[in-house]
């Protein structure tokens, strides 16, 4: 992907946010047209997500990313192995028990997209994935890492994410190595601040 395509992709993603926005002076701005429809679809998915959260759970973290649509992450997102997909938008919310701080469930609002040509990107689907997650310490010959394991409710929907910073998660492959992104997108998920 050349630098012109990367710029177009970033411009597109900037125009299609996951939620509404606030201006510098703090006032809420209404979004219109296709952007509004996109926001409403995300809001509907996030509303559906609240139905699977067990009583007594609180948010442990919310992470977001726009990543490549590689083979290792497709099963968790519910994207077919051979389906058209170049990019994935993630909004991963991890919940934990309020009293014990043990992991409970996760919700993943996901959007898959593909490039039709150098100027056009299409959304192939928005979906909500839910499941259980766990937090484990894994030891290698050089270090101890915290790894989050996500197990979706769909068959084969599993992914491990290494905590590389308190505000950064990165998916790993089946062999435990970090997934390598492209010139246009990384697999790293960043912790999001709510508006």
């Amino acid at each position: 992907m050349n630098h012109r395509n990367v710029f177009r992709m970033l411009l597109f993603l900037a125009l299609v946010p996951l939620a509404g926005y606030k201006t510098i002076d703090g006032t809420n701005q209404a979004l219109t047209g296709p952007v509004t429809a996109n926001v409403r679809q995300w809001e509907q998915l996030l509303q559906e997500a609240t139905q699977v959260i067990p009583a007594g759970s609180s948010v442990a973290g919310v992470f977001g990313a726009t990543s490549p649509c590689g083979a290792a992450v497709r099963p968790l997102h519910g994207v077919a192995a051979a389906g058209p997909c170049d990019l994935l938008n993630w909004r991963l919310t991890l919940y934990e028990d309020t009293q014990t701080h043990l992991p409970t469930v996760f919700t993943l609002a996901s959007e898959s997209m593909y490039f039709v040509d150098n100027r056009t990107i299409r959304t192939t689907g928005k979906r909500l994935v839910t499941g259980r997650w766990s937090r484990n310490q894994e030891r290698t010959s050089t270090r101890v890492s915290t790894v989050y394991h996500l197990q979706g409710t769909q068959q084969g929907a599993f992914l491990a994410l290494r905590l590389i910073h308190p505000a950064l998660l990165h998916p790993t492959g089946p062999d435990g190595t970090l997934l390598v992104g492209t010139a246009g997108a990384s697999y790293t998920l960043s912790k999001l601040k709510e508006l």
Side-chain angles (χ1 to χ4, degrees), residues 74-76 151-159:
R74 283 182 179 225
L76 183 67
Q151 180 66 58
T153 55
Q154 301 84 357
Q155 180 69 24
F158 174 82
L159 187 65

Side-chain angles (χ1 to χ4, degrees), residues 86-107:
D86 294 314
L87 292 173
L88 290 167
N89 273 337
W90 307 53
R91 184 183 172 103
L92 173 66
T93 306
L94 303 172
Y95 294 90
E96 64 185 6
D97 185 277
T98 305
Q99 301 297 319
T100 64
H101 301 289
L102 292 174
T104 56
V105 299
F106 75 87
T107 60

Side-chain angles (χ1 to χ4, degrees), residues 4 14 19 30 37 40 47-48 53 70 95 98 131 137 139 149-150 153 164-165:
R4 188 178 328 160
R40 286 190 186 127
Q47 182 65 28
E48 291 172 15
I53 302 164
Y95 294 90
T98 305
Q137 298 293 319
R139 187 179 304 276
H149 296 276
L150 308 180
T153 55
I164 56 177
H165 179 275

Side-chain angles (χ1 to χ4, degrees), residues 67-149:
S67 79
C69 190
V73 297
R74 283 182 179 225
L76 183 67
H77 288 266
V79 176
C85 184
D86 294 314
L87 292 173
L88 290 167
N89 273 337
W90 307 53
R91 184 183 172 103
L92 173 66
T93 306
L94 303 172
Y95 294 90
E96 64 185 6
D97 185 277
T98 305
Q99 301 297 319
T100 64
H101 301 289
L102 292 174
T104 56
V105 299
F106 75 87
T107 60
L108 173 62
S110 175
E111 177 182 33
S112 55
M113 300 169 287
Y114 73 99
F115 291 106
V116 176
D117 54 37
N118 285 344
R119 298 173 296 177
T120 311
I121 190 167
R122 297 258 190 260
T123 296
T124 57
K126 291 180 174 69
R127 61 196 60 80
L128 177 69
V129 178
T130 61
R132 311 280 306 170
W133 71 285
S134 62
R135 183 174 35 227
N136 303 300
Q137 298 293 319
E138 295 188 0
R139 187 179 304 276
T140 65
S141 60
T142 57
R143 71 173 153 212
V144 176
S145 299
T146 300
V147 178
Y148 296 175
H149 296 276

